[in-house]
Amino acid sequence: MSNEESIPSNWRKTISENMLFGMGNPLLDISAVVDKDFLDKFGLKPNDQILAEDKHKALFEEIVKRNKVEYHAGGSTQNSVKIAQWMLQKPHKVATFFGCIGKDNFGEILKKKAEEAHVDAHYYEQNEEPTGTCAACITGDNRSLVANLAAANCYKKEKHLDLNSNWELVEKAKVYYIAGFFLTVSPESILKVAKHASENNKIFCMNLSAPFISQFFKEPLMKVMPYVDILFGNETEAATFAKELGFETDDIAVIAHRTQELPKENSKRQRLVVFTQGKDDTVATVGDKVTMFPVLDIDQNEIVDTNGAGDSFVGGFLSALVQEQPLEECIRAGHYAANVIIRRVGCTFPEKPDFH
């Protein structure tokens, strides 16, 4: 056997089940092609992202009656771990996922979709609230997203994370990822996982997720920050974070560097900060320097939906990270995954990746 043929097997560090742990808001994405009348009826803009209000209740009942409805397991963290699992392919169940769903039809669909993606999902199931959903109302190239967190908001540390059988799965992991969105649900669960990672010199990753997290959930965010080994975000989230922390700069490289220098518990690992900027270069801290990594070229006409781009970048990155690849490779894998996903509606992917 020649050297070339034996590279892939050596190249991949041994990866095993439950090596990657994710926790967040599991939502069922319900995509349907609608018309302008449907948007007008519910007061929706063609291209938008909002949280559901009372006036949107009927929207969820109506959209499922459309003739071509697609169901995809969604929610930011769940999307990322699913993409990581897709990038890795084998073994199955490298990724574990915790979150809260309802005991209902949509909850059953989420379980089935997680299984199809070979993610080891352990949901906390409760009766008070229905499974969270996100309606994607598609008109042409546009999609209007309406999120109803519902059950996702009901995750309870003592009812789920603290149970021995579940905590054992946390202990099995080497890399942890939680989107900032989960700070609105269970900051105490995030802290417990983050402290475990820090005390055991494992890698804890987090995402700024949305400007409103830095603005309105700054206190829980900054409580977790000393335990964050890798922080993800996009240019808008980075700018808001900098503003909230009084950095007084909008230079993304400076923001990355200042964020890296924030207090950190585990001194064995220097914090890594990775900010994506859509089609512009990804910015990352490398040692004490800040480096730019160009994204893959894509024809604007081939971009179908940029909504899952951030989640899929993180998923690709995590797939290389669990294999202990260097930063450049992690970012390359992230760029690849995002490039595939933006050509498709929703956070969906072809059967196999074509990444080498």
Side-chain angles (χ1 to χ4, degrees):
M1 190 177 191
S2 76
N3 261 348
E4 275 92 11
E5 285 167 6
S6 60
I7 288 169
S9 52
N10 304 345
W11 182 72
R12 276 171 86 116
K13 286 273 183 192
T14 311
I15 41 178
S16 50
E17 283 189 9
N18 308 114
M19 208 166 182
L20 172 64
F21 175 85
M23 179 165 62
N25 299 332
L27 303 175
L28 185 73
D29 290 343
I30 307 166
S31 311
V33 174
V34 300
D35 48 26
K36 191 176 177 303
D37 292 348
F38 185 91
L39 296 181
D40 293 344
K41 180 177 178 180
F42 295 106
L44 303 177
K45 294 175 189 157
N47 230 357
D48 206 7
Q49 269 178 291
I50 60 166
L51 285 174
E53 296 166 46
D54 282 348
K55 66 177 182 186
H56 300 115
K57 284 219 161 73
L59 180 153
F60 289 88
E61 288 153 21
E62 270 194 42
I63 198 166
V64 297
K65 295 181 183 141
R66 298 302 231 192
N67 51 9
K68 276 192 180 169
V69 186
E70 285 192 27
Y71 294 94
H72 300 290
S76 182
T77 306
Q78 189 167 242
N79 281 343
S80 293
V81 298
K82 227 169 51 175
I83 296 280
Q85 180 65 56
W86 169 72
M87 288 283 288
L88 292 163
Q89 292 284 309
K90 291 265 171 19
H92 292 165
K93 297 187 175 180
V94 172
T96 313
F97 179 77
F98 286 7
C100 183
I101 59 174
K103 292 183 178 172
D104 50 26
N105 179 34
F106 284 172
E108 288 306 311
I109 294 174
L110 267 192
K111 286 198 253 185
K112 188 170 154 278
K113 293 286 182 186
E115 205 177 312
E116 285 170 8
H118 307 301
V119 168
D120 194 13
H122 293 256
Y123 297 112
Y124 168 48
E125 298 179 47
Q126 46 74 60
N127 289 322
E128 321 259 296
E129 287 279 345
T131 296
T133 46
C134 180
C137 312
I138 300 166
T139 51
D141 289 345
N142 293 320
R143 65 206 296 271
S144 196
L145 302 171
V146 186
N148 179 25
L149 291 185
N153 218 11
C154 301
Y155 189 84
K156 299 277 183 293
K157 173 178 168 288
E158 59 286 354
K159 295 260 177 80
H160 193 261
L161 185 69
D162 292 346
L163 303 182
N164 286 340
S165 58
N166 290 331
W167 187 249
E168 278 170 13
L169 289 167
V170 176
E171 292 179 323
K172 268 180 90 173
K174 292 199 167 62
V175 175
Y176 302 83
Y177 175 66
I178 301 175
F181 288 124
F182 201 58
L183 285 163
T184 75
V185 175
S186 186
E188 58 285 353
S189 295
I190 301 178
L191 267 175
K192 184 175 181 179
V193 172
K195 284 178 178 172
H196 166 80
S198 180
E199 284 157 13
N200 294 277
N201 196 27
K202 297 173 177 182
I203 303 175
F204 181 80
C205 313
M206 205 160 174
N207 203 314
L208 293 174
S209 289
F212 81 84
I213 298 293
S214 295
Q215 289 168 315
F216 306 113
F217 295 88
K218 180 175 147 189
E219 194 186 345
L221 174 64
M222 295 319 289
K223 266 198 183 129
V224 181
M225 198 55 73
Y227 304 100
V228 176
D229 294 301
I230 303 179
L231 182 70
F232 296 102
N234 67 23
E235 72 278 38
T236 321
E237 294 149 10
T240 306
F241 179 71
K243 196 173 160 199
E244 290 300 319
L245 264 67
F247 286 176
E248 295 185 346
T249 178
D250 49 14
D251 182 322
I252 194 150
V254 178
I255 296 171
H257 187 63
R258 295 279 300 274
T259 304
Q260 180 186 43
E261 290 183 322
L262 291 169
K264 192 166 187 303
E265 279 292 322
N266 177 12
S267 56
K268 293 192 191 100
R269 292 183 188 278
Q270 187 177 28
R271 181 180 295 118
L272 183 60
V273 180
V274 184
F275 291 145
T276 57
Q277 308 189 84
K279 65 182 186 317
D280 295 325
D281 293 2
T282 294
V283 178
T285 55
V286 179
D288 296 323
K289 296 193 187 72
V290 176
T291 308
M292 304 290 187
F293 296 87
V295 301
L296 294 165
D297 282 336
I298 184 169
D299 182 335
Q300 288 302 106
N301 297 325
E302 288 179 23
I303 299 176
V304 174
D305 176 4
T306 57
N307 187 52
D311 294 342
S312 46
F313 171 81
V314 172
F317 189 104
L318 294 171
S319 72
L321 187 65
V322 296
Q323 299 175 71
E324 297 178 29
Q325 292 295 311
L327 174 70
E328 293 73 22
E329 280 302 310
C330 294
I331 289 177
R332 197 169 74 86
H335 285 164
Y336 168 79
N339 185 275
V340 170
I341 272 67
I342 58 177
R343 297 165 191 267
R344 308 167 69 92
V345 170
C347 201
T348 60
F349 36 82
E351 192 189 343
K352 287 200 165 126
D354 181 22
F355 178 73
H356 308 289

